[in-house]
């Protein structure tokens, strides 16, 4: 229909140049001109489609049209009240005249009442004794005819006087309508072929692009939102935290090895070999390959000795050393395993070895946080201060719930310098957390096998209105640092926190599964705002 109607409009324009009044069009499949409002609405659709392709131009004209009321529609169907009264009466001399009571029964009270009066006025019926009879043998029901004309044309040729009368009788009502005059547009053609919306390789190859008609650009259109990549909230928070470390002069440690040995994850940190954290319940062990390559034999000996027999002022654990435990491969349970690697490398010069390339950039230009002089020259013991950080993934064999997954991210900072004190650590953490927007922090004594003293960090959460644990920290033990080769006056302190915790607080997420895993909504990720501390 839409296609045929467009074709009709174009063909009419081709033949007659203009369409003066769209009410004169005879729509496809219809016998009468399109004079009703409904018809004009259909025509308007076709006109707009042609206009968008510049094939036509049109002007709109407002008109008042008439439509039948419910009562008018009834008359259209069954005839006027007067006609219905006339039709049930007998012809004079043919049968008994009809009594008013009978008439009421025949056509209903309303029709009998209204119809009698008008039928008398028209001279259609007569009184005969106590009853009524037909006065004429034929009538013309003009009311029904008028309503028919109005239904199909929206108006009456008979004129306004009759319309006013029909309105008064509540048989018709006025309605606003439109009709149109139509002219050819700049892109006029009688072909309704859809204009091209794209220039394709095929069109270029065949040369059809030269003769094709093209749809005009709509510069007002809003366009489809582009769907680019989006950063996960964890990555946004990671970037903010990374920037905090960088502006505090920290260098990022390499943390690519998710798989570590028991030696680096625990032994080097002076974690006893019987420590519950090393249990199958807490740590994922590799089944293939099972064993790590041995570390430097001399360092390994120093570490196993300090565990078994003590040394460097320590009594040790005095428990038999297990090489098997030490060589087990596992998924690292904390990034402190990577920190241990880096600290061991950092101490290379102190051991009289050439430092490896990847430590040079961490110590180069680093200034002592204590301002102590004499790090180079005659008495140089090889130590260089360093401030290191990492943000990466760790794995724990935990029961999963709303706040725990088997893997998460740790943020870790490590500072190595001579004569550092606990106050230095606390000072660093105050600055660090305040840069994350956490001003109120408290420290609570805690226990870590590898640090002494150790502090848990609590921050006041204004939304939760309570103190929440945000991290763990401490001064690394001499049992860990001295076997690496660090001079006695070198202190290393460190602190760690999870990346997920502050991210969940930032984004108001209370179930970790809405942040990580298969239940994450991609839309949520795409719409997550940037974080600014
Ligand atoms: N490794 C500790 C943890 O997993 C964090 C920490 C890092 C503590 C450095 C002290 C020093 O919670």
């Amino acid at each position: 229909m839409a296609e045929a109607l467009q074709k009709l409009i174009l063909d009419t324009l081709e033949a007659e140049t203009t369409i003066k009044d769209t009410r004169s069009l005879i729509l496809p499949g219809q016998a009468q001109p399109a004079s009703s409002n409904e018809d004009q609405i259909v025509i308007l659709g076709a006109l707009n489609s042609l206009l968008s392709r510049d094939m036509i131009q049109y002007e709109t004209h407002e008109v008042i049209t008439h439509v039948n009321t419910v009562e008018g529609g009834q008359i259209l169907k069954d005839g006027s009240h007067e006609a219905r009264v006339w039709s049930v009466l007998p012809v004079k001399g043919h049968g008994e005249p009809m009594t008013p009571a009978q008439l009421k029964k025949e056509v209903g009270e309303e029709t009998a009442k209204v119809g009698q009066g008008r039928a008398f006025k028209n001279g259609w019926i007569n009184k005969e004794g106590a009853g009524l009879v037909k006065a004429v043998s034929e009538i013309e029901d003009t009311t029904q005819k008028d309503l028919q004309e109005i239904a199909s044309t929206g108006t009456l040729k008979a004129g306004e006087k009759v319309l006013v009368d029909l309105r008064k009788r509540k048989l018709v009502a006025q309605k606003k309508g439109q009709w149109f005059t139509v002219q050819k547009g700049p892109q006029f053609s009688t072909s309704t072929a859809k204009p091209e919306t794209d220039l394709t390789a095929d069109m270029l190859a065949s040369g059809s692009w030269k003769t094709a008609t093209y749809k005009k650009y709509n510069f007002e259109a809003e366009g489809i939102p582009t769907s680019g990549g989006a950063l996960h909230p964890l990555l946004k928070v990671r970037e903010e935290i990374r920037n905090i470390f960088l502006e505090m002069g920290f260098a990022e440690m390499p943390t690519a090895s998710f798989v570590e040995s028991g030696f680096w994850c625990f032994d080097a940190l002076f974690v006893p070999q019987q420590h519950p954290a090393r249990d199958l319940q807490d740590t994922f062990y590799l089944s293939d390959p099972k064993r790590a390559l041995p570390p430097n034999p001399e360092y390994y000996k120093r570490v196993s000795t300090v565990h078994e027999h003590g040394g460097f002022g320590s009594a040790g654990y005095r428990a038999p050393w297990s090489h098997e435990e030490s060589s087990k491969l596992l998924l690292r349970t904390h990034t402190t395993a990577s920190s241990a690697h880096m600290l061991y490398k950092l101490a290379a010069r102190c051991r009289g070895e050439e430092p490896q390339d990847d430590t040079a950039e961490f110590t180069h230009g680093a200034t002592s946080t204590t301002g102590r002089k004499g790090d180079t020259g005659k008495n140089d013991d090889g130590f260089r201060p360093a401030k290191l950080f990492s943000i990466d993934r760790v794995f724990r064999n935990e029961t999963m719930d709303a706040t725990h997954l088997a893997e998460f991210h740790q943020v870790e900072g490590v500072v190595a310098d001579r004569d550092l004190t606990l106050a230095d650590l606390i000072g660093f953490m105050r600055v660090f957390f305040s840069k994350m927007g956490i001003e109120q922090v408290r420290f609570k004594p805690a226990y870590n096998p590898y640090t002494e003293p150790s502090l848990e960090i609590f921050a006041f959460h204004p939304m939760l209105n309570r103190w929440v644990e945000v991290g763990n920290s401490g001064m690394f033990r001499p049992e860990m640092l001295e076997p690496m080769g660090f001079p006695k006056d070198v202190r290393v302190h460190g602190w760690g926190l999870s990346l997920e915790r502050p991210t969940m607080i930032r984004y108001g997420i209370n179930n970790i599964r809405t942040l990580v895993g298969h239940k994450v909504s991609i839309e949520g990720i795409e719409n997550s705002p940037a974080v600014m501390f």
Side-chain angles (χ1 to χ4, degrees), residues 253-255 257 260-261 263-266 268-271 299 332-344 390-394 396 410-414 448-451 472-474 476 480-481 484 492-497:
M253 293 186 261
T255 47
S257 47
E260 284 287 357
S261 62
F263 180 81
W264 285 109
C265 198
F266 301 119
L269 295 167
F270 198 55
V271 176
Y299 176 48
R332 69 172 173 224
T333 59
H334 54 181
T335 44
T336 316
S338 305
S339 300
H341 267 292
M342 286 314 296
L343 290 171
Y344 176 74
S390 66
I391 308 173
D392 211 340
R393 211 170 278 223
V394 300
R396 289 184 191 175
Q410 270 192 337
V411 177
E412 178 150 326
V414 169
N448 284 319
Y450 39 95
T451 54
N472 181 13
S473 67
F476 286 112
M480 166 184 164
L481 300 178
M484 288 179 173
V492 181
H493 63 220
W495 72 95
L497 54 140

Side-chain angles (χ1 to χ4, degrees), residues 24 49 69 76 94 168 196 208 210 272 275 300 370 492 531:
S24 66
S49 170
T69 61
L76 187 65
H94 294 256
K168 264 195 211 143
E196 301 294 344
S208 71
K210 287 184 215 160
H275 196 277
Y300 180 77
T370 55
V492 181
V531 230

Side-chain angles (χ1 to χ4, degrees), residues 162-448:
V162 185
L163 281 169
V164 171
D165 182 52
L166 288 172
R167 284 209 301 271
K168 264 195 211 143
R169 288 166 64 191
K170 297 212 160 50
L171 302 182
V172 298
Q174 284 184 321
K175 198 176 159 189
K176 268 203 183 135
Q178 293 177 315
W179 56 277
F180 312 94
T181 46
V182 191
Q183 247 113 41
K184 290 180 182 175
Q187 297 294 324
F188 179 81
S189 110
T190 51
S191 155
T192 53
K194 277 259 153 67
E196 301 294 344
T197 52
D198 256 325
L199 191 58
T200 63
D202 285 348
M203 290 164 72
L204 292 174
S206 71
S208 71
W209 65 272
K210 287 184 215 160
T211 51
T213 54
Y214 296 92
K215 188 164 179 168
K216 277 218 303 187
Y217 277 111
N218 176 4
F219 293 107
E220 243 72 9
E222 293 212 327
I224 304 160
T226 52
S227 61
L231 285 180
H232 190 278
L234 279 176
L235 298 183
K236 291 181 186 173
V237 176
R238 184 180 73 174
E239 195 54 25
E240 286 301 305
I241 295 179
R242 177 179 275 151
N243 285 337
I244 292 172
F245 274 120
L246 292 175
E247 73 186 31
M248 288 176 80
F250 281 73
E252 190 162 8
M253 293 186 261
T255 47
S257 47
F258 292 179
V259 174
E260 284 287 357
S261 62
F263 180 81
W264 285 109
C265 198
F266 301 119
D267 296 333
L269 295 167
F270 198 55
V271 176
Q273 292 197 316
Q274 297 78 21
H275 196 277
R278 303 176 74 138
D279 205 85
L280 262 173
Q281 258 71 58
D282 292 292
T283 303
F284 290 114
Y285 288 94
L286 270 67
S287 53
D288 183 25
K290 265 187 161 64
R291 308 258 161 245
L293 294 173
N296 170 289
E298 284 135 50
Y299 176 48
Y300 180 77
K301 185 87 199 119
R302 290 194 295 275
V303 170
S304 63
T305 306
V306 80
H307 274 252
E308 207 168 2
H309 310 294
F312 313 105
S314 169
Y317 292 119
R318 302 183 173 218
W321 171 261
S322 158
H323 175 71
E324 197 209 314
E325 195 61 44
S326 185
S327 64
K328 279 182 185 168
L329 280 176
L330 49 83
L331 292 180
R332 69 172 173 224
T333 59
H334 54 181
T335 44
T336 316
S338 305
S339 300
H341 267 292
M342 286 314 296
L343 290 171
Y344 176 74
K345 283 182 179 175
L346 186 67
R349 220 196 306 247
C350 310
R351 294 190 299 268
E353 297 164 17
E354 264 310 300
Q356 290 175 22
D357 285 351
D358 55 351
T359 46
E361 63 176 293
F362 298 145
T363 55
H364 179 76
T367 46
S368 169
T369 51
T370 55
R372 196 183 130 134
K373 298 271 183 295
D375 283 335
T376 51
K378 225 171 47 213
N379 298 325
D380 185 6
D381 57 12
F383 174 71
R384 298 290 180 275
K387 292 190 282 189
L388 309 171
F389 81 96
S390 66
I391 308 173
D392 211 340
R393 211 170 278 223
V394 300
F395 308 86
R396 289 184 191 175
N397 194 358
E398 298 207 59
T399 334
M400 298 197 258
D401 61 26
T403 51
H404 294 89
L405 291 179
E407 58 175 280
F408 63 100
H409 292 76
Q410 270 192 337
V411 177
E412 178 150 326
V414 169
V415 180
D417 206 348
R418 297 184 198 274
D419 299 328
L420 288 177
T421 66
L422 192 62
D424 291 309
L425 170 60
I426 290 175
F428 248 115
M429 290 194 291
R430 279 198 191 284
V431 176
F432 175 82
F433 282 103
S434 83
K435 282 174 186 274
M436 277 180 67
I438 300 171
E439 299 289 350
Q440 277 179 281
V441 281
R442 270 187 192 169
F443 304 96
K444 182 181 138 186
Y447 170 77
N448 284 319

